[in-house]
Amino acid sequence: MSEAMVTGEVGVDDLTTSALLAALRDRKAVEDRAAADQLDLAARWADLHPPESIHLAAAFTTPGSEHEEPIAGDGCPLVAEFCVAELGAVLGISSTAAKKLIGHALELRHRLPRLWA
């Protein structure tokens, strides 16, 4: 597999230890930027899908009770339940993971705006 990986004209096997660490740091920066972009897009997806009523909003069920928790806290908009599964399918993740992604995005944007920025 390392034969397929090259940095410029130099193969990975030819990199120095500091160059390998620099390549890893660069890849991590790209991964972090992609994760931040994914949060932004998830929040925008949620914006496009408000629920028609509070009963159609996405929520987490609490095991052993009929109580449900919204996917994000006070001050965050509600999101239609149906859009969660669609987002999960596109990303190849479960509906629960998609709820968490949307919830985290909304929490950051609405409750932690300095961190969001």
Side-chain angles (χ1 to χ4, degrees), residues 2-15:
S2 64
E3 295 86 22
M5 292 182 58
V6 290
T7 305
E9 293 295 316
V10 179
V12 172
D13 291 337
D14 298 325
L15 294 176

Side-chain angles (χ1 to χ4, degrees), residues 30-56:
V30 169
E31 180 183 8
D32 291 346
R33 181 72 250 158
D37 290 345
Q38 192 175 63
L39 281 169
D40 179 56
L41 293 169
R44 292 171 188 266
W45 178 254
D47 293 343
L48 295 174
H49 297 91
E52 292 180 16
S53 77
I54 194 167
H55 303 294
L56 299 176

Side-chain angles (χ1 to χ4, degrees), residues 19-93:
L20 279 169
L21 290 175
L24 283 165
R25 183 187 59 236
D26 292 346
R27 304 279 190 302
K28 179 64 175 145
V30 169
E31 180 183 8
D32 291 346
R33 181 72 250 158
D37 290 345
Q38 192 175 63
L39 281 169
D40 179 56
L41 293 169
R44 292 171 188 266
W45 178 254
D47 293 343
L48 295 174
H49 297 91
E52 292 180 16
S53 77
I54 194 167
H55 303 294
L56 299 176
F60 291 108
T61 56
T62 305
S65 75
E66 294 181 19
H67 181 70
E68 291 186 335
E69 292 289 328
I71 64 172
D74 292 339
C76 295
L78 298 176
V79 181
E81 179 71 41
F82 76 87
C83 80
V84 173
E86 189 173 357
L87 179 67
V90 166
L91 295 176
I93 59 177

